[in-house]
Amino acid sequence: MKKRDLAHWHKGKYFEGLLMFAQTLEESLFYYSFESYKMPALNSHFLCYDMLQTAYGIENKILMDGNFVPLAEEFEEIVHEDIFVKKFISESDSLLLERDRNGNYYDAAECDLKAKISHYPQVARFLLNICEVQNTYLQSVYELLNANIFVDSLTTENRSIIYQLARSMVTDLVNGGYSKEYIYLTTINFFFSANREIKCSEDELLEFFNNFTFEKKDYQIIFGLNKRAAMFFKHLDSMEVREPMGEERKLLNLQKKDVYVAELEVESIDSYSAFEGGYDYVSKALALHRINQHEGKMSITSKAIVKQKISEKDIEKADIISLASHPMKKQGNTPDLHAFYEDITLMDKIDVPSSFFRAIMLHAEALESEDVSNQLLNLWTAVEVLIETKRDNTDRINAICLVLCSVLNRSYLYSQINQLVCDIESNTDIKIDNLFALSGNAMFDKDINKVEKLALILSLDIYSKELDSLTISLEENPLLKYRVESFSKYTLKDSKSIYEYIKRHERRVRWHIMRIYRNRNMIVHDGQYMPYRDTIIENLHFYLDTLMDTIVEYYHIGLLDHESIYRNIMLEETEHYIKLGVPVKTPKQKQNVIQITADNALELFFNGYRGNMIKNAISRIAESKKLRFSDGLRRLPEEQTEENKE
């Protein structure tokens, strides 16, 4: 979460609700946002598209019937829980009720898979039509936001609804065709521009929504070309190829003499989407030409001049738009010192399996590819290489889901609290170490870290004063206040709430992995994919990075067999569930609810996990010896102390 100056905001009674909406929008769209807080791939509106497309794929033998299972589960949950569906479609959960030939009602959710494949697409089409009549879905989101932001006293329920709706709004706009960059810049310019007063009124929320009318406009796009590309493009009727004017040469940074520009017109709902459409068109044209020529000397610039055409003679001021940052080429998940230590160790010190090196080569190829579909295929293949299953295993995708979910669950709650620590310390003057020390409670080991300290503050009554102090300090950070309240009142309440939180994450990750797999199959078999393709590639990248990170951690302690690594992780997961009172041997029995105490809190929360132990050890060595980066490269690999062997 990024700290923002709020001096231009009026801090009246609606301040907290509107600011939470704005902060949630920015966080969902921000490029370096924490993975769990990025925009969801789907909402109830676009889940209907996914269901209809999957049913079509099954009917035409493109997809197997099993692809419908996770979709049906997700659809059933949305029917019962989604805010829009409950408010505007069916409050009584009657959407999935059907009648037999005698007129008797039955619940389609209790039918077999074949019946669901037949029935659910009909319900999805009905929902889809409701959502899209006069843009009902987005209009309903606006009405619900208005009703929950502008209240006299904001409750936890109001905050939860604002959070869910803001994220759903982003999903709807992106999947509906708006560029993520356009939505992000519109949000920043509207809410966080110092020269724009925010009075926290209902009119301002309406004004913000009016930036997204889905009205198409005409844009003029100008790309730079080299001479070889210009020779080809000048034969296309859809664009004009000419020499650049002085200002165009400067704006596009065209330094060579033999350069040209291609000018084409694109109809789109925002300038960034217009750029993407124009770039996609010229890229396809070059790819088509290369089928015959097989040469790569033709090129276009990765940025363009974009102008909105008001009329034939009236054109707005030009914007310079570049390709969106490569979704794969974000800052790595490991600091430089850690990365160099791991690189040197894996190349020279550990005899790692060949499958690992095959996977990292596929990862590297994905990093180099500009085509998102190719990135997805490479990353998915890397996952399959690392999670080996037998060739004749027809349940391969479920085996992959089982391993990936266990790997991600291992660090999920710890990562959530860790991110909350980072956000609190970067957005307020509070330091968790100092806050924890205020209680004077000496019952815990001095070695516990910030993540563990915050978890204890959020969960134990003995830290109620510190929790109150933290909550008060977050008055100008309603999104963080909401998270603190959610963890303290609900997630970290007892063993049952912790288990439900982890299982909810596991269920959603499994649905998402299956969603990625369906899109992989669509790309391979008929070249199609869903509108959320660019979103799921970022999720898949995170899943693979986490998997590799975990594997490397085990390599350093001497365990090199992948199957044994995964078995150990799943064993730890099972033991965690047993600690949480889950009757794993007798699943029909009720869970034994265990209250959180000072003695069991950290074990119930994290099951002994304290972050990647190799990285933690390297960090402690670097901290103790005050190593500079250059020193670390020279000295760390030789310093095989007991501290970095743990």
Side-chain angles (χ1 to χ4, degrees):
M1 182 177 174
K2 192 169 183 178
K3 187 174 183 179
R4 293 287 183 184
D5 182 11
L6 303 176
H8 58 292
W9 281 66
H10 285 226
K11 297 172 184 176
K13 63 179 179 179
Y14 303 137
F15 165 75
E16 185 181 351
L18 189 61
L19 179 57
M20 180 163 180
F21 170 67
Q23 288 180 333
T24 304
L25 287 179
E26 183 190 9
E27 181 184 68
S28 301
L29 293 158
F30 188 51
Y31 196 67
Y32 293 112
S33 176
F34 178 51
E35 202 70 28
S36 295
Y37 299 155
K38 288 183 178 179
M39 59 167 280
L42 290 177
N43 53 20
S44 56
H45 178 189
F46 280 91
L47 179 62
C48 296
Y49 274 109
D50 209 354
M51 177 159 286
L52 291 169
Q53 184 68 37
T54 302
Y56 172 84
I58 292 171
E59 182 182 350
N60 289 275
K61 310 300 181 184
I62 298 170
L63 300 172
M64 301 291 288
D65 289 10
N67 284 276
F68 205 83
V69 174
L71 259 182
E73 293 174 1
E74 192 168 6
F75 192 63
E76 289 159 6
E77 181 174 295
I78 275 187
V79 164
H80 295 303
E81 297 182 8
D82 184 74
I83 300 170
F84 168 76
V85 174
K86 298 288 287 183
K87 179 74 175 178
F88 296 99
I89 307 292
S90 172
E91 187 177 356
S92 59
D93 293 338
S94 60
L95 265 174
L96 299 182
L97 292 181
E98 279 289 292
R99 288 188 180 187
D100 61 23
R101 63 183 64 186
N102 297 318
N104 297 319
Y105 286 99
Y106 65 91
D107 189 351
E110 297 177 359
C111 296
D112 60 19
L113 181 59
K114 185 177 180 180
K116 290 180 180 181
I117 294 174
S118 173
H119 175 62
Y120 283 10
Q122 299 173 33
V123 182
R125 190 173 299 281
F126 164 72
L127 279 175
L128 188 60
N129 288 333
I130 296 295
C131 287
E132 298 187 349
V133 171
Q134 298 181 344
N135 204 12
T136 298
Y137 186 85
L138 206 57
Q139 178 65 31
S140 302
V141 168
Y142 163 74
E143 292 175 9
L144 285 167
L145 280 167
N146 201 71
N148 285 276
I149 290 173
F150 303 103
V151 293
D152 291 337
S153 180
L154 208 67
T155 65
T156 302
E157 183 182 3
N158 293 135
R159 295 187 187 97
S160 178
I161 291 173
I162 293 168
Y163 181 72
Q164 293 176 56
L165 290 173
R167 287 165 58 79
S168 186
M169 175 188 173
V170 171
T171 299
D172 214 64
L173 293 176
V174 171
N175 288 350
Y178 276 101
S179 164
K180 189 187 291 188
E181 288 76 12
Y182 172 78
I183 307 169
Y184 179 73
L185 289 174
T186 301
T187 300
I188 299 305
N189 292 335
F190 191 95
F191 290 112
F192 300 115
S193 175
N195 56 8
R196 191 181 191 286
E197 188 179 21
I198 301 294
K199 298 179 180 179
C200 300
S201 68
E202 295 181 34
D203 289 341
E204 284 171 319
L205 182 65
L206 179 60
E207 184 182 350
F208 178 74
F209 265 76
N210 284 337
N211 286 291
F212 310 102
T213 61
F214 290 92
E215 179 185 353
K216 289 192 174 181
K217 310 176 189 74
D218 292 324
Y219 291 92
Q220 185 185 76
I221 319 291
I222 302 173
F223 289 97
L225 306 171
N226 66 2
K227 186 175 181 179
R228 296 278 297 186
M231 290 174 61
F232 166 61
F233 281 122
K234 70 180 181 180
H235 297 291
L236 297 180
D237 294 335
S238 54
M239 63 179 71
E240 176 189 351
V241 175
R242 54 178 172 79
E243 292 185 359
M245 292 183 281
E247 183 67 11
E248 292 170 341
R249 184 181 286 273
K250 179 180 177 182
L251 293 174
L252 294 174
N253 194 28
L254 302 175
Q255 298 179 359
K256 295 182 179 179
K257 290 184 178 180
D258 289 338
V259 289
Y260 297 82
V261 293
E263 184 179 307
L264 65 155
E265 293 188 4
V266 175
E267 187 182 54
S268 189
I269 54 179
D270 70 74
S271 57
Y272 287 85
S273 297
F275 167 82
E276 291 167 1
Y279 190 85
D280 184 59
Y281 178 81
V282 295
S283 298
K284 286 176 180 175
L286 289 178
L288 183 63
H289 182 68
R290 286 171 183 161
I291 289 177
N292 294 313
Q293 295 301 314
H294 282 216
E295 54 105 347
K297 295 180 180 179
M298 296 190 297
S299 64
I300 59 172
T301 54
S302 60
K303 62 181 176 179
I305 301 168
V306 181
K307 306 175 183 179
Q308 184 184 342
K309 293 186 65 176
I310 308 302
S311 65
E312 285 299 321
K313 296 182 179 180
D314 189 10
I315 299 179
E316 283 193 349
K317 180 184 176 183
D319 289 324
I320 306 300
I321 298 179
S322 299
L323 277 176
S325 299
H326 194 311
M328 295 280 292
K329 292 184 178 178
K330 60 182 180 179
Q331 184 178 350
N333 60 350
T334 304
D336 286 338
L337 184 61
H338 296 169
F340 274 96
Y341 176 74
E342 283 193 357
D343 295 344
I344 294 168
T345 304
L346 290 174
M347 292 302 296
D348 295 340
K349 308 291 185 183
I350 300 175
D351 185 19
V352 303
S354 58
S355 58
F356 179 78
F357 284 112
R358 176 59 186 144
I360 64 173
M361 293 301 291
L362 288 163
H363 181 275
E365 289 171 17
L367 284 172
E368 295 306 315
S369 175
E370 294 294 337
D371 182 82
V372 179
S373 293
N374 286 338
Q375 294 167 22
L376 192 150
L377 295 178
N378 279 323
L379 292 182
W380 183 262
T381 304
V383 169
E384 289 189 333
V385 167
L386 291 174
I387 304 176
E388 307 99 332
T389 56
K390 295 179 181 179
R391 181 187 293 181
D392 59 352
N393 188 352
T394 57
D395 208 24
R396 184 169 190 171
I397 180 58
N398 286 318
I400 290 173
C401 284
L402 187 65
V403 170
L404 269 183
C405 286
S406 295
V407 168
L408 293 165
N409 266 352
R410 177 173 178 255
S411 59
Y412 178 59
L413 187 53
Y414 187 92
S415 298
Q416 294 265 308
I417 304 295
N418 182 53
Q419 185 61 41
L420 188 54
V421 170
C422 295
D423 287 340
I424 289 171
E425 295 197 335
S426 62
N427 284 275
T428 71
D429 295 329
I430 285 192
K431 300 300 177 188
I432 300 301
D433 284 336
N434 296 338
L435 183 66
F436 188 79
L438 285 175
S439 70
N441 197 312
M443 70 172 64
F444 293 103
D445 193 317
K446 292 181 180 180
D447 186 44
I448 65 172
N449 59 37
K450 290 181 181 181
V451 178
E452 294 163 329
K453 289 175 181 177
L454 180 57
L456 293 171
I457 291 171
L458 293 172
S459 60
L460 297 180
D461 290 340
I462 56 175
Y463 297 107
S464 58
K465 291 182 180 179
E466 287 69 34
L467 178 59
D468 290 342
S469 175
L470 174 60
T471 303
I472 291 170
S473 74
L474 298 175
E475 291 301 322
E476 292 194 2
N477 291 279
L479 182 54
L480 296 184
K481 182 179 178 181
Y482 164 68
R483 290 206 171 107
V484 166
E485 287 184 347
S486 296
F487 277 117
S488 61
K489 291 182 179 180
Y490 304 108
T491 306
L492 304 182
K493 183 180 178 182
D494 54 39
S495 66
K496 186 173 185 290
S497 63
I498 296 168
Y499 177 69
E500 288 174 348
Y501 189 73
I502 294 172
K503 292 302 287 185
R504 181 179 182 275
H505 171 252
E506 178 186 318
R507 187 170 69 255
R508 291 184 173 276
V509 167
R510 185 170 63 83
W511 292 343
H512 208 55
I513 295 168
M514 293 294 290
R515 190 161 20 252
I516 294 168
Y517 182 62
R518 284 198 303 276
N519 277 265
R520 177 263 179 199
N521 289 341
M522 290 166 65
I523 291 168
V524 168
H525 294 300
D526 67 354
Q528 301 295 314
Y529 50 82
M530 294 298 293
Y532 53 74
R533 178 200 60 174
D534 290 11
T535 301
I536 61 175
I537 185 66
E538 295 187 41
N539 302 128
L540 178 56
H541 187 201
F542 172 73
Y543 297 164
L544 179 59
D545 278 359
T546 304
L547 179 62
M548 288 181 163
D549 218 30
T550 304
I551 289 171
V552 170
E553 185 179 4
Y554 275 88
Y555 287 168
H556 278 83
I557 60 175
L559 192 56
L560 303 178
D561 178 71
H562 290 173
E563 186 175 347
S564 296
I565 291 172
Y566 305 143
R567 181 169 291 276
N568 186 76
I569 290 170
M570 287 187 277
L571 176 61
E572 289 178 347
E573 182 180 47
T574 302
E575 291 179 344
H576 188 201
Y577 292 160
I578 293 172
K579 292 173 188 175
L580 292 172
V582 179
V584 294
K585 295 181 180 179
T586 52
K588 292 184 179 181
Q589 290 185 8
K590 288 185 178 181
Q591 180 180 355
N592 179 26
V593 181
I594 301 168
Q595 298 305 312
I596 307 298
T597 68
D599 292 328
N600 66 17
L602 295 180
E603 195 66 24
L604 293 182
F605 297 158
F606 307 130
N607 192 37
Y609 184 80
R610 306 187 71 194
N612 186 298
M613 59 184 175
I614 304 302
K615 293 180 180 179
N616 289 345
I618 296 170
S619 295
R620 288 198 296 272
I621 295 170
E623 180 66 25
S624 65
K625 295 185 176 297
K626 305 296 182 185
L627 291 176
R628 293 193 302 262
F629 174 69
S630 57
D631 294 330
L633 291 183
R634 184 178 67 253
R635 293 156 55 188
L636 245 180
E638 286 77 28
E639 293 186 5
Q640 297 293 325
T641 65
E642 291 302 315
E643 199 168 14
N644 68 0
K645 289 180 182 178
E646 72 178 57

